[in-house]
Amino acid sequence: MRFEILLWDDIVRMTFRLAKKIRESDFMPDIIVALLRGGLVPARILSDCLGVNRIFVVGVTFYADVGRTHDKPVITQPLNINLGGSNVLIVDDVADTGETLLLVKEHVSALGADTIKTATLHKKPWSKIKPDFFVSETDSWIVYPWEYTEVVDSLRKKLQDENLSEAERKYIYCVLKKIRGILKSYED
């Protein structure tokens, strides 16, 4: 597994590019629905860029660990509003399997949204859904700034796996060193 480690400035730049793509389309959302947890930061930046003040969140659980999912995504915090007649933009950080976006799109549709579009910063080549708007396609595991500590903890546990090759161990150590360096720079 390869890792792509992003900084906060990368997120802001990517989200501005995403906002530009949305503005240049024929779609203007009335409501933004952020997927917790990864979609919350991009959704907030998009709301500012697009002038959309109505943001709602849907909690979804799917990932069990870095690179590992549960059998299927589960909505843990559903929306409890009527979206009748609304143009809704669903925002997440990445369309990996695409299953989370598909589940939330069904959920939003059932609440009466008129038009539903999806937006992500990243899209994986194997995603079951191609977001209507996305910035970059990658097959790497993306480490977003809002999950540095979570990824460090996960990778430290992976180092305990006796089946790792020496090359895999070295790579994980390099990734850990880079993330720890970023975290240290924010502490200063």
Side-chain angles (χ1 to χ4, degrees):
M1 178 184 301
R2 289 184 331 212
F3 290 85
E4 182 177 336
I5 303 168
L6 300 177
L7 303 173
W8 284 106
D9 283 349
D10 299 324
I11 299 305
V12 172
R13 269 191 291 281
M14 291 183 82
T15 308
F16 277 36
R17 287 177 57 201
L18 190 59
K20 182 178 180 191
K21 287 182 176 195
I22 295 165
R23 279 193 307 270
E24 290 173 348
S25 76
D26 291 335
F27 178 73
M28 185 57 190
D30 306 309
I31 294 172
I32 292 176
V33 172
L35 274 68
L36 289 179
R37 296 178 304 169
L40 192 56
V41 172
R44 176 56 183 98
I45 296 169
L46 283 172
S47 75
D48 183 49
C49 292
L50 300 174
V52 178
N53 294 324
R54 296 178 67 201
I55 301 177
F56 299 97
V57 296
V58 173
V60 182
T61 302
F62 192 34
Y63 285 103
D65 199 356
V66 171
R68 222 178 74 233
T69 63
H70 296 290
D71 292 335
K72 63 179 185 171
V74 175
I75 293 178
T76 56
Q77 295 172 316
L79 293 173
N80 61 356
I81 58 172
N82 179 351
L83 296 174
S86 299
N87 293 326
V88 177
L89 180 66
I90 299 171
V91 180
D92 204 358
D93 50 3
V94 61
D96 191 331
T97 65
E99 290 186 41
T100 301
L101 281 174
L102 289 170
L103 177 65
V104 173
K105 195 170 180 181
E106 288 175 17
H107 178 61
V108 167
S109 178
L111 294 171
D114 185 41
T115 306
I116 304 167
K117 300 282 184 177
T118 56
T120 62
L121 300 176
H122 292 93
K123 175 197 168 298
K124 300 286 180 92
W126 50 79
S127 177
K128 292 180 180 177
I129 182 174
K130 179 180 178 184
D132 297 289
F133 310 101
F134 67 96
V135 179
S136 179
E137 185 169 333
T138 183
D139 61 358
S140 297
W141 183 267
I142 305 145
V143 181
Y144 294 100
W146 47 84
E147 62 184 10
Y148 288 154
T149 304
E150 182 180 318
V151 172
V152 165
D153 291 345
S154 175
L155 292 179
R156 285 179 38 218
K157 289 176 189 168
K158 283 191 186 303
L159 285 173
Q160 297 170 6
D161 183 348
E162 294 174 6
N163 297 320
L164 284 179
S165 70
E166 190 58 33
E168 290 170 321
R169 283 185 195 289
K170 284 182 181 180
Y171 182 66
I172 290 173
Y173 279 122
C174 287
V175 171
L176 284 169
K177 184 177 179 181
K178 184 171 183 178
I179 296 171
R180 285 179 180 143
I182 293 167
L183 286 170
K184 179 118 177 81
S185 75
Y186 288 127
E187 292 173 1
D188 294 339

